[in-house]
Amino acid sequence: MCVYKKKKKIREIRLNILVNLLIIMCVEIFLKIENMNGKIRKYTKNKLSFPSDDAVLKSVYLALREISRKWTMPIRNWAIILNQFLTLFENRVQL
């Protein structure tokens, strides 16, 4: 019975760590999206009006293309998160 409780406690701790890492990742993703929105605004605010909807789409597309050139960083702590997924949800996660 004691071994079962220890394993359950370890599993709960791992799950808490995983949840914390996922929350951190969600916050980081949210901040990156907000950063991207700010950069799109920066590109489009110089134009006071657009002649058509296609002009707006083209401007946003070019802004996103310029922004995406700087996206070279890998996801932080991905190896740790993936290992936790594999440990906790071994039946659901497939590589």
Side-chain angles (χ1 to χ4, degrees):
M1 191 68 172
C2 186
V3 173
Y4 175 74
K5 287 183 180 180
K6 285 183 182 179
K7 285 185 179 182
K8 186 177 178 183
K9 188 67 174 173
I10 290 172
R11 193 172 184 92
E12 288 175 5
I13 291 171
R14 285 183 178 170
L15 187 60
N16 286 337
I17 291 170
L18 178 64
V19 168
N20 289 338
L21 288 174
L22 289 174
I23 290 171
I24 290 169
M25 280 184 63
C26 289
V27 169
E28 287 179 356
I29 290 170
F30 175 75
L31 291 175
K32 288 177 183 179
I33 290 171
E34 285 299 313
N35 186 14
M36 183 179 65
N37 287 337
K39 289 183 180 184
I40 290 172
R41 269 188 248 112
K42 181 177 131 183
Y43 279 95
T44 57
K45 81 173 182 177
N46 295 335
K47 275 253 196 198
L48 298 177
S49 65
F50 291 96
S52 67
D53 290 345
D54 288 335
V56 175
L57 289 175
K58 184 177 180 181
S59 180
V60 170
Y61 170 76
L62 292 173
L64 287 173
R65 198 171 115 191
E66 187 69 28
I67 294 166
S68 67
R69 289 182 183 168
K70 299 177 184 176
W71 291 344
T72 57
M73 295 295 292
I75 298 172
R76 285 180 34 205
N77 300 325
W78 180 246
I80 296 170
I81 294 167
L82 185 59
N83 284 333
Q84 289 294 324
F85 274 134
L86 290 173
T87 302
L88 295 172
F89 308 110
E90 58 192 27
N91 297 334
R92 297 185 202 172
V93 178
Q94 297 175 355
L95 296 179

